Amino acid sequence: MTVSLEQMRRCHFAVDLGAARTRVYVKGAGLVVDQPSVAAINTRSGALIAVGEFAEKMTGRTPHYIRVVRPVSGGTVVDIEMAQRMLRALIGDKVRRTLRRKPFLRAAACYPHDADPLAQRAAIETLVGLGARRVELVDTLVAAAVGCGLPVERPEATMVMVCGAAATQLAVLSLGSIVTAERIPVGGEAVDHAIVQHLRHQHELMLPSQSVRPLQLALSGNGLTAHGPSSTEIHGRDVATGLARSVQVDTAAVRDAIQTPLTAVLDGIGKVLRDCPPDLVADLADRGIMMVGGSALLPGFDQMLREATGMPVHIAERPDVCAVQGLGYMLEGKIEPMVLDPLAT
């Protein structure tokens, strides 16, 4: 492991600050928070009005004096003070009182692969503001691999792909460490943007901010393949008149629009495999790729990767919570390091 398992066992809670959702795992209690990373504030008084799902529903529906903000962008904290206020509200008074009883509160957090020192420092400062005396940082790729049950401690290759909202991270792991990895700035938000731009240019239709995900789900289980539905009805606002309008959208054209950003993911997989030692690539031919993250549930994404790479592609049982679940396994001491006996002389 790149992080000391002994230090992780001493931690009391773990936080996964993602671009889309924030998740908090408390030792002995399990996953206590799984909410969108959104906060709504009153700009007149500075008061925090709502956080999580309720704040996300307010997006695009607020008067001028209420502002909906996302303190986490691209997987890193961009507003430390707001992130602290959001976390306090999400955790709640009862859990915070329990954590404050710890004489030396320790915390763990995920950070994106190849995050710069400032981004890592922002994550640490956010948890220090919650009362943590010490913060352990774990690479999201390692935490996700542990959370989905991959044998990361063995001398065998395992490939994990974290499909986040802001970026897609790929890594080949062996002996508890990352052998080669790549971070691609294409995630679920880029797919959403591609769909929005397609509807604006081809149909002169503006979508509400929360209508993109239902459009992706309307593509059904084989959304990125030709076996999905031929068309789907979309409601939005006309660009020219501003009036409500419904159009029948050809899903084949939507698939073509989605393919453009996802091509970068395929290029990243090829780069990781080229940089990987041949022996580990031979292992991956049998084991394949494990997909985790919320965007892994994009209909037909796994089938598209399977056809493009010729490798087995699997989706974790609960791909959206794998990273924080991996942190929880480390906190609870469920991960045993591999012990190498010294050679007898």
Side-chain angles (χ1 to χ4, degrees), residues 261-276:
L262 294 183
T263 303
V265 178
L266 297 177
D267 294 340
I269 294 176
K271 186 177 186 304
V272 168
L273 294 177
R274 285 194 299 271
D275 296 341
C276 191

Side-chain angles (χ1 to χ4, degrees), residues 36-40 50 52-63 66-70 207-211:
S37 303
V38 187
E53 292 181 356
F54 186 48
E56 189 176 48
K57 292 178 181 178
M58 297 168 65
T59 304
R61 296 179 170 89
T62 60
I66 296 178
R67 187 161 58 98
V68 179
V69 297
R70 291 182 176 271
L207 280 184
S209 58
Q210 298 175 8
S211 295

Side-chain angles (χ1 to χ4, degrees), residues 99-134:
L99 294 176
R100 279 200 297 264
R101 296 193 188 103
K102 309 295 182 184
F104 193 90
L105 187 62
R106 295 171 181 257
C110 289
Y111 69 95
H113 182 72
D114 283 344
D116 57 77
L118 286 178
Q120 298 182 29
R121 188 66 189 174
I124 293 174
E125 290 292 336
T126 301
L127 297 187
V128 167
L130 294 179
R133 304 285 296 276
R134 182 184 176 92

Side-chain angles (χ1 to χ4, degrees), residues 42-167:
N42 188 326
T43 56
R44 294 173 177 172
S45 62
L48 190 66
I49 298 176
V51 293
E53 292 181 356
F54 186 48
E56 189 176 48
K57 292 178 181 178
M58 297 168 65
T59 304
R61 296 179 170 89
T62 60
H64 68 280
Y65 61 90
I66 296 178
R67 187 161 58 98
V68 179
V69 297
R70 291 182 176 271
V72 183
S73 176
T76 59
V77 179
V78 294
D79 189 339
I80 296 176
E81 181 184 357
M82 185 56 61
Q84 291 174 349
R85 295 176 67 183
M86 181 186 72
L87 273 175
R88 290 192 193 101
L90 287 175
I91 292 175
D93 293 336
K94 182 178 179 180
V95 177
R96 284 170 54 201
R97 283 196 298 268
T98 302
L99 294 176
R100 279 200 297 264
R101 296 193 188 103
K102 309 295 182 184
F104 193 90
L105 187 62
R106 295 171 181 257
C110 289
Y111 69 95
H113 182 72
D114 283 344
D116 57 77
L118 286 178
Q120 298 182 29
R121 188 66 189 174
I124 293 174
E125 290 292 336
T126 301
L127 297 187
V128 167
L130 294 179
R133 304 285 296 276
R134 182 184 176 92
V135 179
E136 301 289 344
L137 293 180
V138 183
D139 195 305
T140 301
L141 289 164
V142 176
V146 171
C148 62
L150 292 178
V152 294
E153 291 291 340
R154 299 179 185 174
E156 302 170 359
T158 54
M159 188 171 187
V160 63
M161 181 167 72
V162 180
C163 308

Side-chain angles (χ1 to χ4, degrees), residues 166-233:
T168 299
Q169 304 173 66
L170 297 155
V172 176
L173 299 97
S174 180
L175 289 174
S177 298
I178 295 175
V179 178
T180 178
E182 186 73 14
R183 186 168 183 262
I184 306 151
V186 173
E189 293 175 354
V191 175
D192 294 345
H193 182 70
I195 296 175
V196 169
Q197 292 299 108
H198 168 76
L199 293 176
R200 186 182 181 92
H201 294 152
Q202 299 298 323
H203 300 276
E204 297 184 350
L205 194 74
M206 291 182 64
L207 280 184
S209 58
Q210 298 175 8
S211 295
V212 179
R213 289 298 176 184
L215 175 61
Q216 293 180 3
L217 296 177
L219 297 176
S220 84
N222 296 312
L224 298 180
T225 65
H227 305 293
S230 60
S231 65
T232 182
E233 186 178 11

